[in-house]
Amino acid sequence: MIIYIKNKLKNTGNLHRRPNSRNKLRAKSFIAVLLILILPAGAMMAAAEFADRDSLAMYICLHFSLCIALCMPIANWLENWMVNREVQKMNSFCVKLKQGKLNQRLELYSNKSAASTDELCLLQHNLNWLAHSVAKRESKFTESLAKTRKDKERLNLLSYTDHLTGLFNKRFFELKLVEACSRCISCKTPLHLMLIDCDHFKEVNDIYGHQEGDRILAELGRIISSSVRGGTDFPFRFGGDEFGAILVGVDSTRCEQIAERIRDRFAQIKLGRASLSIGISKLCYQAMDPETEAEQLVAAADKALYFAKNTGRDKIISPAQYKESPQPCDP
């Protein structure tokens, strides 16, 4: 009996040296049988040599009574010891996958040939494959999402930008002016609107051609953009030869200086009779409705621009200088 148990323990050690889930399960089963059945039975056989028949019968009844009483606890213990721990590891693995931790892996057994037909090992292999596939797809999805976000930002920028000059377009102006008015009214910050028109631009196109006219407009856009503050002021192109800028946080004197700098830089181009007429309007601090004030800003700046063109062109008209002009002029 002792030699048999010794051989079994030796074989169990060999099973542990070849680790796969089926062999581990066999080893655990043998140890459980050894502890529950063989050892108590061996103890009773040893006691039989020293006990009488009545005592032996009592020991046998006691053994079977204990086996029946401990059947359910031992079954639960065996289930947890032999099966549940492996299942719990896989369940924990699946929970981590659900939480997005896709870089983890279940440990596979080293003996590939023995594990090839092992269901538990195949299940672990499939779970690892699933985690790898999900991680790979998530990586591709993240890259695609980042590319889509960049494309969206680029398209949004194109939708708000004039292709010829690189300035913001009329659509952006209409959105930004109301937003700037709302912020400046709340913070009591000065805001000026500058409208710019290129005088005699039709004549430039007729004499020098549309390509030269486009070059002049692109140069005017560069002059306006370099004359205002990036990120604070907003230069834009209405369309054609009409431009403008929203100036935030500058007083009327500084605004007129910026307008004069734009007019002087453009005058250095000296192409035909091309010049700039500029009209300026100022935000009213007592305004309550940003949308209404934005409309009034545009109307006041347009009147000032019209007055500048009507009184000789190539000048700047600020709110303090503005007067109604009774005589219209040719565009």
Side-chain angles (χ1 to χ4, degrees):
M1 184 70 180
I2 296 176
I3 296 175
Y4 173 78
I5 295 173
K6 184 178 180 181
N7 291 333
K8 276 295 184 179
L9 289 175
K10 183 177 180 181
N11 293 333
T12 302
N14 293 332
L15 291 178
H16 280 289
R17 286 193 291 271
R18 295 186 290 109
N20 64 68
S21 58
R22 181 171 296 177
N23 289 335
K24 287 178 66 177
L25 201 59
R26 289 173 180 173
K28 290 181 178 180
S29 301
F30 174 74
I31 294 174
V33 171
L34 178 67
L35 294 176
I36 298 173
L37 298 177
I38 297 178
L39 290 182
M44 284 192 300
M45 292 177 64
E49 298 180 1
F50 304 100
D52 55 18
R53 182 176 299 179
D54 294 337
S55 300
L56 180 61
M58 181 185 67
Y59 290 148
I60 293 175
C61 292
L62 178 61
H63 173 66
F64 282 108
S65 298
L66 289 175
C67 289
I68 294 173
L70 297 176
C71 182
M72 185 60 68
I74 292 176
N76 292 334
W77 174 73
L78 288 175
E79 178 186 13
N80 182 67
W81 183 44
M82 298 170 63
V83 180
N84 282 355
R85 286 197 297 179
E86 299 294 335
V87 175
Q88 288 172 0
K89 290 179 182 178
M90 288 184 285
N91 183 59
S92 176
F93 176 79
C94 293
V95 170
K96 291 179 180 179
L97 288 184
K98 184 178 179 181
Q99 294 172 350
K101 300 176 181 178
L102 303 177
N103 58 344
Q104 60 170 340
R105 293 292 180 269
L106 277 177
E107 294 184 1
L108 296 176
Y109 302 110
S110 58
N111 193 340
K112 299 296 183 182
S113 60
S116 60
T117 58
D118 194 308
E119 294 297 329
L120 187 58
C121 186
L122 289 176
L123 178 58
Q124 291 177 341
H125 175 76
N126 290 332
L127 286 174
N128 281 338
W129 176 86
L130 175 63
H132 173 74
S133 300
V134 173
K136 187 175 180 180
R137 292 187 182 184
E138 186 186 45
S139 177
K140 290 183 178 180
F141 176 74
T142 303
E143 292 177 1
S144 177
L145 186 63
K147 185 177 181 298
T148 302
R149 188 180 295 110
K150 289 181 180 178
D151 291 342
K152 182 180 178 181
E153 292 175 356
R154 183 174 58 84
L155 291 174
N156 284 338
L157 181 62
L158 290 175
S159 68
Y160 289 133
T161 304
D162 176 65
H163 70 282
L164 178 62
T165 62
L167 303 181
F168 296 114
N169 58 19
K170 184 179 180 181
R171 179 186 177 188
F172 177 85
F173 163 76
E174 293 173 348
L175 296 174
K176 199 64 183 180
L177 182 61
V178 175
E179 178 185 329
C181 286
S182 177
R183 186 170 62 253
C184 291
I185 290 173
S186 300
C187 301
K188 302 300 180 182
T189 304
L191 181 144
H192 291 79
L193 174 63
M194 182 189 304
L195 296 183
I196 305 168
D197 187 81
C198 185
D199 303 321
H200 306 293
F201 182 71
K202 184 176 182 301
E203 182 180 301
V204 171
N205 277 336
D206 293 341
I207 296 176
Y208 300 97
H210 289 278
Q211 289 185 345
E212 190 66 15
D214 288 346
R215 186 187 70 82
I216 291 299
L217 293 179
E219 184 65 18
L220 176 55
R222 186 191 66 80
I223 291 172
I224 296 174
S225 180
S226 62
S227 299
V228 300
R229 300 164 298 171
T232 302
D233 303 327
F234 303 96
F236 55 90
R237 181 190 179 193
F238 269 124
D241 59 338
E242 298 178 348
F243 293 78
I246 302 172
L247 305 179
V248 179
V250 297
D251 56 21
S252 298
T253 301
R254 179 59 179 162
C255 181
E256 292 177 17
Q257 291 174 352
I258 295 173
E260 187 63 36
R261 182 167 60 219
I262 294 173
R263 191 182 68 84
D264 290 343
R265 289 181 178 179
F266 185 78
Q268 296 175 9
I269 298 176
K270 295 181 180 179
L271 183 63
R273 295 194 298 164
S275 61
L276 295 182
S277 295
I278 302 176
I280 300 173
S281 61
K282 182 179 179 181
L283 176 70
C284 177
Y285 291 129
Q286 286 75 30
M288 300 298 294
D289 184 11
E291 294 185 2
T292 302
E293 184 60 22
E295 294 176 359
Q296 293 177 355
L297 273 173
V298 174
D302 190 59
K303 288 182 180 180
L305 175 63
Y306 183 79
F307 182 79
K309 295 179 70 67
N310 200 37
T311 54
R313 299 182 175 88
D314 194 21
K315 63 175 63 177
I316 301 168
I317 299 298
S318 65
Q321 298 170 319
Y322 172 70
K323 295 179 181 180
E324 288 288 347
S325 174
Q327 297 295 329
C329 67
D330 296 330

